[in-house]
Amino acid sequence: MANVPLGLTIAGSETTGGAGLQADLKTFEEFGVHGMVVITCIVTMNTQTWEHEVSMVAMDAINKQFDTVFSGEKISAVKTGMIPSVDLIQLSRDRIIDSGIENIVIDPVMVCKGDISEINIESSSALRDILVPIATVATPNLLEAGVLSGLGVLESIDDIKKAAKIIYESGAKNVVVKGGGSLAGDEAIDIVYDGKDYEVLSSPKVSTQYNSGAGCSFSAAIASCLAKGMPVRTAVAKAKLYVRDAIEHGFSFNEHAGSVLHSASRVIEGNSLA
Ligand code: PXL
């Protein structure tokens, strides 16, 4: 019998397969983690404007999914993605706590494409007050870290460090701010904070517009490594290498968007992570 860690994502479906639960499952698979899903919503795109539209999954169906995934062997790590209502955020917290899962990665997804005007204040406050406090690792991107910390636009490594500290103080045991390519300069910067030390992870920016799913995949890779028993720092370092390969080999889907290649590390770089 195979001894495979179980991973769970509580997330939305991103229909084109680059981001959302699809990114999480593909990433789990690359790391040899068996992926399971509680699907919260379905994201589709207006084919002319590529505006995203969110269709909610009924609460009853969500509860039944939780019952199903929690009826088996112990789950080694859970990751959250798009959870687009306060009720669902509360339910997810309650169900995660009841399950006793030890490794909890909270990716506080607020909007799909970094448009701050679309942020729902109620949901983002609920993410901060209800889900981030139970995180083993919280993984906001630059925009989400600005909102969660109340600091607004983050423009420097110092700004990110201040935001990470505030988010840590709201209860997350570790904070990884995924600056990625969003900060000015030639380097993709991510910052890890564990309440004591800051670690600045830096790698040359990859010039591409085909990076849909980079954030979800980074967080899912961290969850995978935690599921396999790695310490947080090691998990984040491995996840960054994985996602850099995925971004480097991103590809176009249509004139609006393109995705990271989740299998790049294994298929193109010949570096299996499972
Ligand atoms: O990349 C953030 C994200 C997360 N989850 C879902 C999404 C998106 C962006 O499109 O659709 C379901």
Side-chain angles (χ1 to χ4, degrees):
M1 192 174 75
N3 183 15
V4 60
L6 304 184
L8 170 66
T9 178
I10 306 168
S13 166
E14 194 278 89
T15 304
T16 72
L21 70 85
Q22 288 83 352
D24 296 342
L25 290 182
K26 291 173 192 181
T27 301
F28 287 166
E29 192 72 13
E30 291 302 318
F31 281 89
V33 171
H34 172 74
M36 300 191 290
V37 189
V38 169
I39 173 170
T40 60
C41 63
I42 298 169
V43 174
T44 48
M45 290 72 175
N46 176 306
T47 53
Q48 305 302 313
T49 63
W50 213 241
E51 248 176 76
H52 291 37
E53 190 181 332
V54 178
S55 307
M56 300 294 289
V57 170
M59 202 58 150
D60 179 50
I62 292 174
N63 264 308
K64 286 177 178 160
Q65 294 177 80
F66 276 120
D67 292 343
T68 307
V69 293
F70 292 143
S71 69
E73 294 290 330
K74 191 163 166 41
I75 294 171
S76 298
V78 58
K79 170 194 179 279
T80 64
M82 188 181 281
I83 308 188
S85 80
V86 176
D87 284 353
L88 258 185
I89 289 170
Q90 184 65 52
L91 176 71
S92 301
R93 175 192 163 107
D94 294 345
R95 298 294 310 242
I96 291 170
I97 290 177
D98 282 353
S99 74
I101 298 175
E102 279 156 27
N103 296 303
I104 303 170
V105 176
I106 302 294
D107 192 18
V109 175
M110 294 180 186
V111 282
C112 291
K113 277 189 290 169
D115 180 354
I116 199 158
S117 66
E118 280 181 27
I119 285 186
N120 176 317
I121 302 294
E122 260 195 353
S123 287
S124 48
S125 305
L127 286 171
R128 181 194 62 211
D129 299 336
I130 298 172
L131 270 182
V132 168
I134 64 165
T136 312
V137 187
T139 60
N141 62 23
L142 211 55
L143 183 142
E144 291 153 356
V147 173
L148 290 175
S149 64
L151 295 179
V153 180
L154 308 178
E155 288 177 327
S156 64
I157 291 182
D158 259 8
D159 287 352
I160 298 180
K161 286 182 173 172
K162 283 188 195 125
K165 186 161 195 288
I166 294 171
I167 297 165
Y168 171 83
E169 282 163 358
S170 72
K173 292 192 186 70
N174 298 271
V175 180
V176 178
V177 179
K178 299 178 294 192
S182 306
L183 217 55
D186 297 334
E187 295 289 301
I189 304 276
D190 305 293
I191 292 187
V192 190
Y193 183 60
D194 61 4
K196 289 192 207 83
D197 301 308
Y198 294 95
E199 188 177 359
V200 179
L201 302 172
S202 175
S203 59
K205 265 186 197 171
V206 180
S207 157
T208 175
Q209 78 241 59
Y210 308 131
N211 61 2
S212 167
C216 301
S217 304
F218 190 6
S219 304
I222 295 172
S224 303
C225 292
L226 296 180
K228 294 167 80 173
M230 293 176 208
V232 171
R233 290 288 169 99
T234 313
V236 175
K238 277 204 186 287
K240 186 163 166 95
L241 292 176
Y242 166 74
V243 85
R244 196 202 52 204
D245 284 343
I247 294 170
E248 238 167 44
H249 298 287
F251 60 96
S252 165
F253 172 67
N254 64 13
E255 74 269 33
H256 300 290
S259 164
V260 300
L261 182 65
H262 302 89
S263 61
S265 232
R266 172 176 51 88
V267 173
I268 298 181
E269 303 291 338
N271 171 30
S272 173
L273 300 158

